[in-house]
Structures are given as structure tokens and as C-alpha cells.
Amino acid sequence: MKETDPDVELLARIGHQDPAAVNEMVSRKLPRLLALAGRILGDADEARDVAQETFLRIWRQAANWRSGEARFDTWMHRVALNLCRDHLRRRKERPLNENEDINEVVDSTPAPDEQLEAAARSEQMAAALASLPDRQREAIVLQYYQELSNIEAAALMNISVEALESLLSRARRNLRSYLAETPGHARPGRET
Amino acid sequence: MMTPERFAHLAEAYGADLRRWPTAEQPEAHALLRSGDATALDALQQARQLDSLLDSHQLAPLDLDLARRIRLSAPVARPASFWTRYAGWLSPAGVIGVGIAGVAVGMLVASLSLPAPRLIPDVLPSVFDQGDAEIVFTVNAEEAEQ
């Protein structure tokens, strides 16, 4: 039996301009979108831009959504992923500015010692993710952090499941190697 | 049947949580673990360490202002305002209709407010005027003859 899409009913209500449905969609999907774009881009401001633009497309699409063609969550990931790719492409085209301000995606609020330690680990992990080639980072973010199935993640990346597994293996090896050897920061799309 | 090498490959790709693995391969992976295969257990342990590091990546708390802006960007049905409710009146047809109604009301008010014209009894016919009656009868008589 085919699994029902949990977002379809909400989309129909948004199509009828129901404010409560809009609130629920934002609560349900905004953290997910920020997590995706934040980890792919490594920049909080750009992640917010991607989230906002994705929601504009959601509002436009809601009234015309046809269930059964694709899961809404997968469609939303495709939209956001394409926007992230555009950001990364533009970033590579821009000349590198040494003084460029990096808007950290991680929580920067002051915290007690144990939280500072956790924040340091988080920053190190962010740097490790940022050091990955774009395709490897996409694979690990979609499969591990966004918890998409291997079939969904492979479809979003337009590759086979076997190719996805290969990208994931290389990503995890590279992360392990980075974390073992290299403290410090890197930014996605800024490999020098 | 799943080999220890295949198990290690999947652990290296998908991590230590077997629920993230391809659905079809999960039962055999569990079976290999239950058998106590050393290669499988070692692969799982290594994968678990990296998973723990991946999980250490925290995201900033949700930006409430961003959430508010996104909500406002949605086309939601709002209660109709006075101008929205009566916007139809501002259409060209509405304006013409209201104009005609205004003129009609104006004429009525003007006609009621003017003094009535002074009637001259000599000019008005009277029901007691026999002359007219004769003419009428005469005309009718002629028609009857024809």
C-alpha cells in the first residue's frame, strides 16, 4: 500500500488561504529548511534567504498541489536544494574576500562551560562539513541530517543509490580524517 | 545473505543506526549482528563514533522574526474591510448606477420643494362642461354610423 503524504491535507487548507494552516506549515517545515540550507551553505543569512524563497514557492504551489506525483517534503527539498546550489555557484563566482563575515549557523548565545564545550564541538563539526566537496556534503546532509531515505536522497541528487552510497562513504571518511587532523574553519564553496 | 564486508560498507555509508539503512537489507544486518560477527560489530562501533560527532553539530534556535515574516508572506484570507465589502460600488457600472440614482433623487426632491403652479380654472376642463361632452358624443355617433 502506498504511504500517504502527511502534508497534503495541510496544503489543501493553505490553498484555501487558511491562516492556521499557514502557521502550522511554517512550524513544521521552517526548522527543517533552515537545517538543510544551514548545513549545505554554512551561512545563517543565506540559509534564511533560501528558507524564505522556498516558502514563497510553497504558497504559490499549494492550491495546485497534486498528490500522488511526489511527496511534498521531497519536492520542498528539491526546491531548497536548487536554491542552495545557486548560492554556492554565485559564491564561487565572487572573488574571495578575506574579511568576509561568516554568519555562523551554530548557536552563539553565551553559555556555561559544558555548553561552551558543546559549542566548540559543534563549530568543529561545522568546519568539517564545510570542508567537504559540495556533492559529498549534499549526500550526508540529505541522508543523515534530513533523514531522507536512500531512494529519496539519490533521486534529489539525480544519481543511483549505489552512487549515493559511494558519496556517503567518501564523505564519512573525509569527515573522520578532517576531525582527526584539522582544527579550524572552512566554508562550503570556498575551497582554496 | 549479507556478508560482513557488505555490512561494513553499509555502516560506512549510512552510519550505525540500522533504521537509516536500505529497508530490504535491515533484517539480514540484524541477523549478522545477533550472530556476533566481529567485522560487523567493529564496523558498527566506528560508524557510531562518527555519528556521535555528526550529532554534535547544533543549529541556532529558530529565528522567530523570520517565521513571522514568512507567515505574512502567505496569501491568507483576511476579514473583509469596509472598502473591500463595497469595492463593487467603485466599478464603472457601479459609479454610473449611483450617478443615475442620485440624479433621480435630486429631481424628486427639487420637484417636491418647488411651489405648485397656479392653476387657472378657465383653462382647465370641468366635468360639468357640457360642450365637450357633446363633441365626444358627436364623434362617437359619427364613428357608429360608419
Side-chain angles (χ1 to χ4, degrees):
Chain A
M1 197 176 80
K2 192 166 182 182
E3 196 183 338
T4 53
D5 189 338
D7 298 316
V8 165
E9 185 262 336
L10 198 54
L11 281 168
R13 285 169 54 206
I14 291 170
H16 289 100
Q17 305 194 346
D18 175 356
V22 165
N23 287 342
E24 192 176 338
M25 182 62 90
V26 173
S27 303
R28 198 183 284 187
K29 300 297 182 186
L30 180 57
R32 198 156 162 70
L33 280 172
L34 287 173
L36 171 74
R39 287 186 169 118
I40 295 274
L41 297 169
D43 184 293
D45 282 346
E46 287 185 89
R48 280 192 280 268
D49 288 347
V50 166
Q52 263 187 302
E53 179 58 35
T54 306
F55 268 104
L56 287 178
R57 296 185 192 193
I58 292 172
W59 305 147
R60 281 202 292 270
Q61 191 68 26
N64 306 315
W65 183 260
R66 288 184 190 176
S67 55
E69 290 185 2
R71 269 196 346 131
F72 170 73
D73 193 65
T74 311
W75 174 85
M76 183 191 77
H77 271 79
R78 187 181 295 283
V79 170
L81 200 56
N82 283 334
L83 291 168
C84 287
R85 288 170 182 158
D86 290 344
H87 276 263
L88 289 172
R89 210 166 14 246
R90 283 199 293 272
R91 201 185 283 176
K92 280 174 180 152
E93 288 164 2
R94 274 201 321 262
L96 181 64
N97 180 0
E98 289 298 325
N99 299 320
E100 194 168 340
D101 193 22
I102 297 173
N103 299 294
E104 294 288 350
V105 178
V106 294
D107 188 1
S108 57
T109 49
D113 282 354
E114 67 274 15
Q115 288 183 11
L116 284 174
E117 201 177 307
R121 280 200 303 274
S122 175
E123 273 190 44
Q124 198 187 15
M125 192 64 232
L129 282 171
S131 74
L132 290 177
D134 292 346
R135 297 288 280 173
Q136 290 180 26
R137 188 169 53 255
E138 267 186 27
I140 202 100
V141 169
L142 292 174
Q143 183 271 330
Y144 190 85
Y145 287 113
Q146 300 298 112
E147 299 186 341
L148 296 179
S149 74
N150 56 345
I151 294 168
E152 285 174 316
L156 282 171
M157 296 183 72
N158 297 316
I159 54 176
S160 65
V161 169
E162 292 73 24
L164 174 76
E165 285 178 4
S166 172
L167 275 175
L168 287 169
S169 296
R170 280 184 281 150
R172 290 175 73 95
R173 271 199 301 276
N174 285 335
L175 286 172
R176 204 174 275 125
S177 165
Y178 181 96
L179 292 167
E181 296 167 10
T182 323
H185 299 276
R187 194 183 187 210
R190 284 293 195 214
E191 296 97 325
T192 51
Chain B
M1 170 139 179
M2 179 171 285
T3 62
E5 291 72 29
R6 175 67 183 159
F7 187 101
H9 171 76
L10 291 173
E12 183 61 17
Y14 296 108
D17 187 348
L18 268 59
R19 287 171 300 183
R20 296 170 191 260
W21 290 26
T23 315
E25 302 196 73
Q26 289 177 18
E28 290 191 359
H30 280 293
L32 193 64
L33 279 179
R34 279 196 299 273
S35 76
D37 183 275
T39 306
L41 288 168
D42 184 51
L44 208 63
Q45 178 58 28
Q46 284 193 35
R48 195 173 287 124
Q49 284 173 0
L50 186 63
D51 285 358
S52 167
L53 292 168
L54 283 165
D55 292 341
S56 71
H57 188 230
Q58 306 163 344
L59 291 165
L62 186 62
D63 182 342
L64 295 178
D65 187 51
L66 174 70
R68 186 186 59 80
R69 286 201 307 274
I70 288 173
R71 285 190 188 102
L72 289 175
S73 72
V76 294
R78 301 182 199 287
S81 68
F82 173 84
W83 291 110
T84 310
R85 245 177 293 159
Y86 299 106
W89 285 45
L90 298 176
S91 67
V95 169
I96 292 168
V98 170
I100 291 170
V103 169
V105 170
M107 287 172 70
L108 180 63
V109 170
S111 67
L112 290 174
S113 60
L114 285 174
R118 199 158 163 263
L119 300 176
I120 304 166
D122 296 344
V123 176
L124 289 174
S126 165
V127 292
F128 302 107
D129 191 336
Q130 295 299 316
D132 283 341
E134 279 172 14
I135 292 169
V136 171
F137 288 137
T138 307
V139 170
N140 287 346
E142 282 175 5
E143 282 173 359
E145 282 174 14
Q146 286 173 2

